Amino acid sequence: MRETAADRLKKARVRAGYETAADAARAFGWNAPTYFGHENGTRGISSDRAGSYARAFKVSAAWLL
């Protein structure tokens, strides 16, 4: 099965040391429902948002997307 942007976002979060999506959303001041949707794949991730996540989790936006 092909890895999705949501899969990579979750992987990046875990590697960055945030146990839950709520922990990451709280730490970075992100809207939790929006972040949850991005991580569980029910919402697409814009390139701007991918850039924010990439900077926070120290990965590239291109890899996330």
Side-chain angles (χ1 to χ4, degrees):
M1 181 166 60
R2 187 171 174 209
E3 191 174 57
T4 66
D7 296 330
R8 288 186 294 274
L9 181 58
K10 181 176 181 179
K11 187 182 291 187
R13 171 187 49 84
V14 171
R15 286 181 179 168
Y18 296 93
E19 186 173 337
T20 68
D23 292 338
R26 191 171 27 258
F28 294 104
W30 298 326
N31 178 279
T34 299
Y35 180 76
F36 299 160
H38 290 154
E39 192 173 295
N40 69 29
T42 58
R43 293 181 66 132
I45 304 171
S46 70
S47 59
D48 286 345
R49 188 59 64 119
S52 296
Y53 295 152
R55 285 187 295 280
F57 297 142
K58 299 185 180 5
V59 298
S60 77
W63 176 78
L64 279 178
L65 294 175

